[in-house]
Amino acid sequence: MKLHTFTTLFLIFSLTFSFAQKDVKIEGTVIEQDTNIPLEYATVVVKSNTDNNIVTGGITDAKGKFKVEVPEGTYVISVEYISYKTKTFPAQNITKDTNLGTISLALDVDTLDEVMVVAEQTTVEIKLDKKVYNIGKDLTTAGGTVSDALNNVPSVAVDVEGAISLRGNENVRILINGKPSAMAGFGDSNILSQLPAEAIERVEVITSPSARYDAEGTAGILNIILRQKETLGFNGSVSLTAGHPDNIGLSANLNYRTEKFNLFSNFGWRYFDAPRNSFNDVTYFDREEDGTIVEPDYRRIRETQEVERLNRNYNANLGMEYFLSESSSITGSIFYRLGSDADLSLNNSERFIDGVIVEETLRREKETQDDNSYQIALNYEKRFGDDSDHKLTVDFQFEDDTQEGFTNLNEDYIFINTNNPTDFQIEQEFTDEDNKEYLFQADYVLPLGENSRFEAGFRSNLENEVTDYRLIQEDTLTGFLEVNDTLTNKFDYDENVNAIYTQYGTKLGKFSFLLGLRLEHTQLKGKIDSRLTDEELVEAFGFPIETDFDNNYLGLFPTVNLIYNLSGDESDSEESITLGYNRRINRPRGWFINPFPSRSSRTNVFQGNPNIEPAFSSAFDLGYLKRWDDFTLTTSVYYQHETDSFERVEENTGQQTTDGIDIIRTIPINLSSNKRTGAELGVLYNPAKWLRLNSSVNVFQFETDGEFNGVDYSTKNTSWFARFSSKVTLPGQIDWQTNARYRGAQQDAQSDTDGILSIDLAFSKELLENNLTVSLSVRDLLNSRKRQSTTTTEFFERYSENQWRQRQVNISLIYRFNQSLNKRDNQQRNANGGGGDDMEFEG
């Protein structure tokens, strides 16, 4: 596909020249050769014969007609249309109104085949600092979410709890359109499970980020680019989804574009039930206290939890790009999300002594949460001279997210065979969270000759997070509800990052490089408002903490990206080698620092660590790409060394519940180092128009070294994950897609986790002259996407199973309107009397 067509079209929309001399008109009609069908939205470009610069241009109307005005002079005129051969008129002196008559364009068969590939499958493009995956027509994500789409991108995995990892590393930075965004949540990747997959145009997997990007994320960056139509006029799509378990969604992508502005929008509503379940079987060991062996009150505790999660989400994104002149534009947008969740958790607990059940209880947890967030963004772009690459962009972004949560917990006996029953307390939790984030950014790009360019920029990211937590518990003697002053608290946390960067890139024959340096200052500032004294805090949490801290870090982050093109300019194939180096930082999020424990379980809690510090990593990446007509091979090997790496460990708090059960906490800590080595291989194979295959495999080894509270958490482990996707066109033009993913078993210092297999199926059919797509999909066909692990410490051994989302069956309808290539296809079929092969294009 001729990518310069889109660039030319964009420039033409914003060019409005006026001169003092007399203007003359150039007009004509553009049709398709052989069928004589008028071609709407064909591009007419008028260039000066002296310097080859674009003077003006136009777009054909529904009848294929165009009319432009130019000053008297000598011009070269060309007519372009996607997947058609360009028609160019030799230079001619135009001194009066000129009619070029009827212009016939012939299909460019090579380009047409290329367009079909891009439209119907995920493709890969290798650049100096990233790999770009065009999502294309992924049937299994029809009616799905951004998380579902990411799970089909090579090198990326989304686990059963919604956590996103890149090459097996969960410390990945999520960006929307190149910037941190409320659409991706404030460090909460579960937000991505609420946004429709249809909104994505492509995903950039940046394993060796250049200096232009924030240094956050030791694994790298996932940059999600949202769709924005370039076609003039009003166009878009509407999708409707229904499924089981309860899943009803409605979304619309609407776009209206003129030569002066582009209005774009995305709206969505979704109601769904995402039931999850878990199972824990814990055996407690004897422990030594002051030289005495102490037996646990219960030798074994078995818990079965079922959670009903009803979610209602509304999201809207509305924006407009306004072309101020032929060389500048301003874009404004507002994003709004409203979420209302209601969860009901039933946790059945069986307690054993000497292999006999002595107690059985049922714990009920009702939780409601309202999430209200919005984002305002402004972008200004100025291009200098005739070079579209010479530009200045300035961005401002403000985000606000408020969450109000209420949880009611109570526990009752189902069976009891002990002499000292416990009076369980009713508990009520009130949690208010307020997140605010400001982003200021400026980027300047200066081309130096044809093959070199210089870039520089500044970014300031200021984030404040306030968590106000109040715990009310029942006094079992009086029955009154009272505030627990020990755990009630307010945590005010700031993360401020200011950065400047510069980078230089050039191409020398077959060799290209991009060198950059980024300087970042990080301020992590927090204040804990608690009624506990410092001594009481140490007693409660087991280690000294600072309730008012202000930590500052200054870091230099160099980046080096090299590429060598092994194929010649005349070669039909593409072959290249890439080499990248970068230094990164992993900053702890607020919930990693807040020391007050979660209360979703009486016996297993998560507790932040205010003493945790950022981790730093250095990473190397060596890649190879070989592309043939119907086969693409990508492979790479990588190495990463991280210092003060994060590790979540489990330990006994030394405290017990009122009925004598040891309380186990999970806490993040800084280990001394984490070394990660791996290799990945990916293939794209299209042996026939009816069959497309896509597969990748990643093998990695990680080695951690360090200790905490006298326990050595050093470990070494090798694991792998693989995915396979096939798309087959069946008789009747029905598309069938299968996606399979397998994540190998892995171990860390305390846990062994089994492998996980997941298979998705989807079928799709085009109706109403290719304007309506009907899809049926089944996610997790075998209902096997469960995490099974065994955790062993000196105090206990626990076997656990966790299924975050059960098998899902969806049917989706996607209706597209005013998409020019579909319209041209329909006209051609009507002119030929119908029939023929169905072909689909994205508008």
Side-chain angles (χ1 to χ4, degrees):
M1 182 167 56
K2 298 180 179 178
L3 298 178
H4 73 273
T5 301
F6 295 104
T7 304
T8 302
L9 185 59
F10 179 81
L11 289 174
I12 290 171
F13 288 156
S14 58
L15 287 173
T16 55
F17 289 100
S18 62
F19 296 89
Q21 67 258 47
K22 176 185 176 183
D23 287 344
V24 294
K25 297 178 181 178
I26 303 175
E27 57 185 326
T29 303
V30 182
I31 63 173
E32 182 184 59
Q33 185 175 305
D34 299 329
T35 66
N36 296 329
I37 296 174
L39 292 179
E40 184 181 5
Y41 302 130
T43 305
V44 181
V45 181
V46 182
K47 294 183 179 181
S48 170
N49 187 49
T50 56
D51 54 15
N52 202 38
N53 288 333
I54 297 177
V55 175
T56 189
I59 305 295
T60 58
D61 60 19
K63 297 181 180 180
K65 297 182 179 298
F66 68 89
K67 182 185 295 185
V68 296
E69 293 186 357
V70 295
E72 295 178 354
T74 303
Y75 301 103
V76 175
I77 304 170
S78 60
V79 180
E80 302 176 348
Y81 196 80
I82 300 172
S83 75
Y84 286 77
K85 295 181 179 179
T86 299
K87 185 77 168 266
T88 302
F89 293 87
Q92 53 183 301
N93 186 25
I94 298 179
T95 59
K96 62 180 180 179
D97 293 348
T98 302
N99 192 326
L100 299 179
T102 300
I103 305 167
S104 300
L105 298 185
L107 279 170
D108 188 335
V109 179
D110 294 335
T111 304
L112 181 61
D113 290 340
E114 190 175 325
V115 171
M116 291 179 64
V117 170
V118 171
E120 296 188 0
Q121 70 168 37
T122 301
T123 60
V124 59
E125 180 182 358
I126 306 298
K127 295 190 176 182
L128 265 173
D129 58 348
K130 58 194 169 188
K131 296 177 183 177
V132 181
Y133 294 93
N134 298 300
I135 295 300
K137 187 187 175 186
D138 191 336
L139 304 183
T140 61
T141 64
T145 67
V146 171
S147 291
D148 297 323
L150 289 178
N151 212 24
N152 289 341
V153 173
S155 304
V156 180
V158 183
D159 71 10
V160 294
E161 296 180 348
I164 299 171
S165 62
L166 179 58
R167 291 173 167 175
N169 188 345
E170 291 186 4
N171 183 228
V172 56
R173 179 70 157 166
I174 307 294
L175 301 178
I176 303 291
N177 293 336
K179 296 183 287 293
S181 172
M183 297 184 194
F186 288 83
D188 182 7
S189 60
N190 286 324
I191 297 298
L192 299 177
S193 65
Q194 302 173 9
L195 300 177
E198 287 81 7
I200 299 180
E201 178 180 328
R202 64 184 185 274
V203 175
E204 297 178 346
V205 179
I206 310 174
T207 53
S208 184
S210 70
R212 178 191 307 140
Y213 295 101
D214 184 3
E216 170 74 22
T218 55
I221 293 173
L222 291 180
N223 186 22
I224 300 170
I225 307 298
L226 303 181
R227 292 186 186 274
Q228 183 175 327
K229 300 296 184 182
E230 299 290 341
T231 308
L232 284 179
F234 181 62
N235 57 84
S237 63
V238 178
S239 64
L240 175 65
T241 299
H244 177 80
D246 292 349
N247 181 28
I248 302 175
L250 177 65
S251 66
N253 293 283
L254 306 175
N255 196 88
Y256 180 69
R257 189 182 184 106
T258 71
E259 295 185 4
K260 196 62 179 176
F261 66 87
N262 181 31
L263 185 65
F264 54 91
S265 63
N266 176 272
F267 304 94
W269 169 80
R270 189 180 182 212
Y271 169 85
F272 65 98
D273 179 16
R276 69 177 177 88
N277 59 79
S278 64
F279 173 76
N280 288 280
D281 192 347
V282 185
T283 300
Y284 293 92
F285 306 142
D286 295 340
R287 64 179 186 274
E288 183 179 347
E289 292 184 3
D290 300 325
T292 302
I293 300 299
V294 179
E295 294 185 359
D297 290 354
Y298 303 97
R299 179 63 66 182
R300 180 185 180 194
I301 297 179
R302 189 168 59 191
E303 294 183 333
T304 303
Q305 183 184 43
E306 294 183 354
V307 183
E308 181 184 76
R309 298 185 297 166
L310 298 178
N311 300 268
R312 292 166 296 279
N313 299 304
Y314 308 84
N315 62 81
N317 185 36
L318 179 64
M320 184 178 73
E321 180 179 13
Y322 184 76
F323 305 108
L324 299 171
S325 67
E326 69 275 6
S327 61
S328 63
S329 65
I330 186 169
T331 303
S333 65
I334 181 169
F335 169 77
Y336 177 75
R337 182 181 68 246
L338 176 63
S340 180
D341 302 341
D343 298 353
L344 174 61
S345 169
L346 300 178
N347 191 344
N348 183 272
S349 178
E350 299 173 320
R351 294 151 196 170
F352 296 78
I353 297 179
D354 296 330
V356 178
I357 297 179
V358 294
E359 290 181 1
E360 182 178 359
T361 64
L362 180 65
R363 179 178 172 87
R364 298 176 180 87
E365 177 181 346
K366 294 183 179 179
E367 179 182 3
T368 60
Q369 179 173 298
D370 292 326
D371 185 357
N372 193 331
S373 65
Y374 68 91
Q375 170 186 292
I376 299 173
L378 291 174
N379 168 268
Y380 172 76
E381 180 175 307
K382 170 67 177 178
R383 295 176 300 279
F384 301 94
D386 300 322
D387 192 341
S388 61
D389 290 332
H390 184 196
K391 62 183 179 179
L392 170 70
T393 58
V394 180
D395 290 277
F396 167 76
Q397 197 166 275
F398 171 72
E399 305 171 12
D400 183 87
D401 180 49
T402 58
Q403 298 182 25
E404 296 180 356
F406 170 75
T407 305
N408 187 85
L409 306 104
N410 67 290
E411 190 166 359
D412 296 303
Y413 283 107
I414 296 178
F415 167 78
I416 183 170
N417 189 23
T418 59
N419 296 324
N420 298 309
T422 299
D423 292 328
F424 296 111
Q425 294 174 301
I426 294 176
E427 294 186 356
Q428 294 181 346
E429 294 179 293
F430 297 84
T431 305
D432 293 332
E433 295 184 13
D434 187 13
N435 296 270
K436 289 183 173 59
E437 186 169 351
Y438 296 86
L439 171 70
F440 304 90
Q441 179 176 331
D443 299 280
Y444 175 70
V445 181
L446 175 65
L448 302 173
E450 293 185 2
N451 297 319
S452 303
R453 71 177 185 177
F454 167 82
E455 297 183 44
F458 162 80
R459 173 183 285 188
S460 180
N461 211 95
L462 312 176
E463 182 178 351
N464 174 256
E465 176 184 343
V466 178
T467 303
D468 193 345
Y469 175 81
R470 183 161 52 103
L471 175 64
I472 296 178
Q473 293 177 310
E474 179 188 17
D475 187 324
T476 56
L477 297 178
T478 65
F480 293 123
L481 296 176
E482 300 176 348
V483 175
N484 183 324
D485 291 335
T486 302
L487 295 178
T488 294
N489 68 93
K490 187 175 183 179
F491 183 48
D492 191 336
Y493 180 61
D494 290 291
E495 179 183 294
N496 301 322
V497 181
N498 294 288
I500 57 174
Y501 79 91
T502 182
Q503 61 184 19
Y504 173 77
T506 191
K507 179 180 180 181
L508 303 171
K510 295 184 178 182
F511 178 74
S512 302
F513 68 82
L514 181 63
L515 309 178
L517 184 64
R518 189 178 185 91
L519 175 67
E520 286 194 352
H521 176 266
T522 300
Q523 179 190 42
L524 303 180
K525 181 181 179 181
K527 184 175 182 180
I528 302 171
D529 184 4
S530 169
R531 297 185 182 182
L532 298 180
T533 65
D534 291 344
E535 292 76 15
E536 289 172 330
L537 285 169
V538 173
E539 182 180 353
F541 303 131
F543 53 87
I545 64 175
E546 290 193 27
T547 58
D548 192 349
F549 58 89
D550 188 351
N551 300 324
N552 292 266
Y553 308 89
L554 185 66
L556 276 175
F557 301 92
T559 62
V560 178
N561 288 287
L562 313 174
I563 185 168
Y564 184 74
N565 184 13
L566 297 173
S567 57
D569 295 336
E570 302 300 326
S571 175
D572 293 333
S573 63
E574 179 183 350
E575 186 176 16
S576 62
I577 296 176
T578 59
L579 175 64
Y581 163 78
N582 64 88
R583 186 171 186 259
R584 311 285 294 165
I585 184 174
N586 183 6
R587 304 182 185 94
R589 305 299 302 176
W591 66 286
F592 254 42
I593 293 179
N594 191 341
F596 288 89
S598 66
R599 299 289 297 174
S600 59
S601 170
R602 294 190 306 121
T603 58
N604 294 278
V605 300
F606 179 88
Q607 180 179 348
N609 179 4
N611 302 326
I612 199 167
E613 296 183 350
F616 294 87
S617 74
S618 293
F620 299 85
D621 188 289
L622 178 63
Y624 172 76
L625 166 73
K626 176 68 173 179
R627 195 194 312 269
W628 294 269
D629 290 339
D630 54 5
F631 189 87
T632 299
L633 170 70
T634 61
T635 183
S636 66
V637 293
Y638 54 91
Y639 171 78
Q640 180 186 82
H641 182 262
E642 185 175 357
T643 58
D644 290 329
S645 61
F646 298 166
E647 182 78 14
R648 280 179 278 192
V649 300
E650 296 186 60
E651 60 179 15
N652 196 315
T653 62
Q655 302 173 353
Q656 291 186 328
T657 62
T658 54
D659 51 343
I661 303 175
D662 290 345
I663 298 177
I664 307 301
R665 73 175 175 190
T666 300
I667 185 171
I669 63 172
N670 288 115
L671 283 184
S672 60
S673 68
N674 185 332
K675 299 176 183 177
R676 185 178 293 266
T677 306
E680 59 183 349
L681 174 70
V683 295
L684 298 169
Y685 182 43
N686 306 316
K689 289 185 177 181
W690 58 269
L691 176 63
R692 296 176 177 86
L693 305 175
N694 182 352
S695 182
S696 65
V697 62
N698 190 307
V699 181
F700 59 92
Q701 180 184 84
F702 60 87
E703 180 179 358
T704 60
D705 179 35
E707 66 174 25
F708 180 70
N709 284 344
V711 179
D712 186 4
Y713 293 103
S714 302
T715 187
K716 186 175 183 179
N717 176 242
T718 299
S719 186
W720 63 286
F721 61 88
R723 57 168 40 87
F724 171 79
S725 176
S726 67
K727 184 177 178 185
V728 180
T729 301
L730 301 173
Q733 296 299 312
I734 297 175
D735 288 330
W736 167 27
Q737 184 171 323
T738 303
N739 286 353
R741 292 178 294 274
Y742 182 79
R743 184 183 180 101
Q746 63 182 55
Q747 298 84 37
D748 58 27
Q750 293 182 306
S751 300
D752 293 337
T753 303
D754 295 342
I756 301 175
L757 172 67
S758 178
I759 298 176
D760 299 339
L761 290 181
F763 297 88
S764 175
K765 171 66 177 176
E766 304 297 329
L767 301 171
L768 300 182
E769 297 180 323
N770 284 354
N771 287 319
L772 176 67
T773 302
V774 180
S775 299
L776 174 66
S777 64
V778 182
R779 299 198 189 100
D780 196 10
L781 176 69
L782 305 178
N783 205 33
S784 58
R785 202 162 176 229
K786 302 177 182 180
R787 173 183 287 171
Q788 299 173 305
S789 64
T790 301
T791 300
T792 305
T793 73
E794 62 176 314
F795 301 104
F796 67 90
E797 180 179 86
R798 180 178 65 240
Y799 170 77
S800 63
E801 295 181 1
N802 187 10
Q803 185 177 23
W804 191 252
R805 186 174 69 177
Q806 299 177 16
R807 176 173 48 222
Q808 181 83 45
V809 180
N810 289 329
I811 184 169
S812 299
L813 306 176
I814 302 177
Y815 180 74
R816 296 170 295 274
F817 56 91
N818 291 349
Q819 298 191 13
S820 58
L821 285 178
N822 278 338
K823 183 175 182 180
R824 201 274 315 165
D825 259 352
N826 300 337
Q827 290 176 331
Q828 182 172 349
R829 273 193 295 273
N830 292 335
N832 294 335
D837 294 333
D838 289 338
M839 293 184 293
E840 179 186 338
F841 302 86
E842 296 292 333

